[in-house]
Amino acid sequence: MKAAVCYGNNDVRWEAVPDVFPKEDEVKIKVKACGICGSDIPRATKMGAHSYPIILGHEFSGLVEEVGKNVKGINVGEKVTAAPLVPCYECEQCKKGNFSLCHNYSFIGSRQQGAMAEYICVPAKNVVKLSENTTFEQGALFEPATVSLHAFNINQYEPNGYVAIIGGGTIGIFAMQWAKILGCKKVVVFGRDKEHLKLSKELGADEVISTLDEDFIEQAMNLTDGKGFDYIFESAGAVATIKYSFKLAAKKAHICLIGTPTNDITFTPREWDLINRKEFILTGSWMSYSNPFPGNEWEMTKKCFADSCLKFDDRLFYKKFNMKSANNAFDLFINPNEKIKGRILLLK
Ligand SMILES: [Zn+2]
Ligand SMILES: [Zn+2]
């Protein structure tokens, strides 16, 4: 078979690799679509993978090609996606159902071969069936959608509050949609990119605020009767966005950081003191799993894509490439003139 093999920085080659065969508890999937996640960029451009050569790709969908001999309930030809985490199921955290925190996990597309390939074998436990009306492209968005939903679980979300979504990228837009689905008084998306904000509004945000506006904090406070936001989901991971999350927080708010930080961050005593003065709860969220594996994040995403309460829009994808041209897709990320505004999708 052929696969997009990453050999190091800016070196992805579409080439022949050994065929894969499902072990007795595995399913072989013929890959139809695979997204490029933000986490794949350092793997392909900054020597950020665990080892090379590696086939990247963990946001994918396809058709069941073959099943191992112990696999029950999954049939050849079914449309599926798969959770990329392969937990050990034995460590202390796995036993508590905190699979994202497993001490000894593997991960499809980073610690083991991923889905930027014609075929991939995954544990049957990881397979999630797609409903008839769910497309392969939606299937490739399952993982980001589950990451957004996991943050609601971790942030002890309860309906009827004011919700702020910081960042209007894929994770932010799904988080906004989960706030609507789970119920909220008002959900507001904050971002700098006009198109992101426009899409957020079209997909259901009650309000959007451009953080390029000098008075954006004031605008935001006015939307909450001056109280601030009860739940904040920070999906950008930038210094400025983390800092203004603290400012936007209501007293006793719940703030959840989803975005992965890329820079050092320092706070003035005044900025830091907001944690004390507002007694807000600050947590992080990692990946998208709960008990029973892969978790309600995956079940809900499946259900909500099937009944279309989770809205899909083609603009969630910035560009689409044939998988054979994966190298050209990764080149976009080293092109300083390219403003990447959504997932890049590889199609087979
Ligand atoms: Zn991802
Ligand atoms: Zn474990």
Side-chain angles (χ1 to χ4, degrees):
M1 69 168 195
K2 287 199 160 176
V5 185
C6 179
Y7 280 87
N9 288 351
N10 317 321
D11 185 6
V12 175
R13 305 175 205 166
W14 180 253
E15 62 181 20
V17 296
D19 285 336
V20 289
F21 303 95
K23 297 196 192 99
E24 49 192 27
D25 295 311
E26 286 186 342
V27 172
K28 179 174 175 177
I29 298 168
K30 183 181 177 117
V31 179
K32 302 295 276 184
C34 181
I36 298 181
C37 175
S39 66
D40 290 320
I41 309 313
R43 294 176 185 132
T45 62
K46 293 196 175 121
M47 291 311 271
H50 288 271
S51 59
Y52 295 90
I54 173 93
I55 302 169
L56 300 173
H58 62 267
E59 304 178 352
F60 65 99
S61 59
L63 292 167
V64 174
E65 175 81 8
E66 194 182 335
V67 297
K69 74 174 197 303
N70 292 346
V71 176
K72 301 215 163 63
I74 298 171
N75 304 302
V76 172
E78 282 179 318
K79 205 194 272 182
V80 296
T81 181
L85 178 73
V86 184
C88 77
Y89 297 104
E90 272 164 20
C91 73
E92 184 198 344
Q93 293 301 336
C94 278
K95 284 194 172 139
K96 288 182 184 163
N98 302 329
F99 301 108
S100 301
L101 308 181
C102 173
H103 293 294
N104 192 22
Y105 68 93
S106 181
F107 195 85
I108 292 163
S110 86
R111 294 170 190 238
Q112 68 185 65
Q113 303 301 359
M116 292 180 190
E118 289 184 294
Y119 298 97
I120 184 172
C121 289
V122 303
K125 270 187 182 174
N126 290 51
V127 172
V128 177
K129 293 189 195 182
L130 304 180
S131 69
E132 266 316 304
N133 62 336
T134 304
T135 63
F136 291 118
E137 302 202 355
Q138 289 170 321
L141 289 173
F142 260 56
E143 202 257 355
T146 62
V147 165
S148 301
L149 181 54
H150 184 67
F152 282 73
N153 293 347
I154 297 301
N155 210 14
Q156 299 172 3
Y157 185 76
E158 284 180 26
N160 298 322
Y162 289 114
V163 181
I165 307 293
I166 316 296
T170 315
I171 299 291
I173 285 181
F174 280 121
M176 177 277 292
Q177 296 204 56
W178 288 121
K180 295 299 282 186
I181 291 167
L182 298 171
C184 62
K185 198 182 283 173
K186 193 180 272 177
V187 56
V188 182
V189 177
F190 294 78
R192 288 192 302 188
D193 186 275
K194 262 197 202 147
E195 290 162 42
H196 280 165
L197 294 178
K198 185 165 175 269
L199 182 56
S200 301
K201 190 90 214 282
E202 285 178 36
L203 293 182
D206 294 303
E207 303 283 349
V208 295
I209 289 186
S210 168
T211 56
L212 296 174
D213 294 351
E214 236 164 74
D215 65 341
F216 82 91
I217 297 276
E218 209 185 314
Q219 291 178 34
M221 287 303 171
N222 290 339
L223 294 176
T224 63
D225 304 318
K227 265 173 30 112
F229 291 82
D230 304 299
Y231 293 91
I232 298 181
F233 296 90
E234 195 288 322
S235 71
V239 171
T241 53
I242 293 170
K243 287 194 176 190
Y244 74 68
S245 297
F246 289 14
K247 284 196 188 161
L248 293 174
K251 291 174 177 166
K252 296 283 184 187
H254 290 224
I255 302 180
C256 183
L257 306 181
I258 316 172
T260 321
T262 48
N263 283 304
D264 290 354
I265 180 164
T266 52
F267 291 86
T268 63
R270 212 192 155 99
E271 288 166 339
W272 189 248
D273 186 42
L274 291 172
I275 305 179
N276 306 70
R277 288 176 185 270
K278 294 182 177 180
E279 294 190 344
F280 64 67
I281 290 170
L282 177 63
T283 184
S285 175
W286 188 238
M287 301 201 275
S288 57
Y289 306 94
S290 57
N291 213 10
F293 187 85
N296 82 312
E297 294 87 345
W298 294 80
E299 278 306 310
M300 282 275 287
T301 298
K302 174 179 167 171
K303 185 187 151 290
C304 292
F305 265 130
D307 65 15
S308 300
C309 59
L310 202 52
K311 295 188 196 108
F312 170 76
D313 190 288
D314 207 45
R315 284 169 289 174
L316 289 166
F317 295 114
Y318 174 64
K319 276 185 184 166
K320 298 174 192 178
F321 288 82
N322 189 295
M323 199 176 282
K324 284 181 192 151
S325 311
N327 60 324
N328 298 340
F330 280 105
D331 280 348
L332 296 181
F333 294 94
I334 52 168
N335 178 352
N337 298 322
E338 195 83 42
K339 266 203 96 203
I340 296 169
K341 299 183 175 186
R343 281 295 193 266
I344 309 275
L345 190 69
L346 303 176
L347 294 167
K348 192 64 200 70

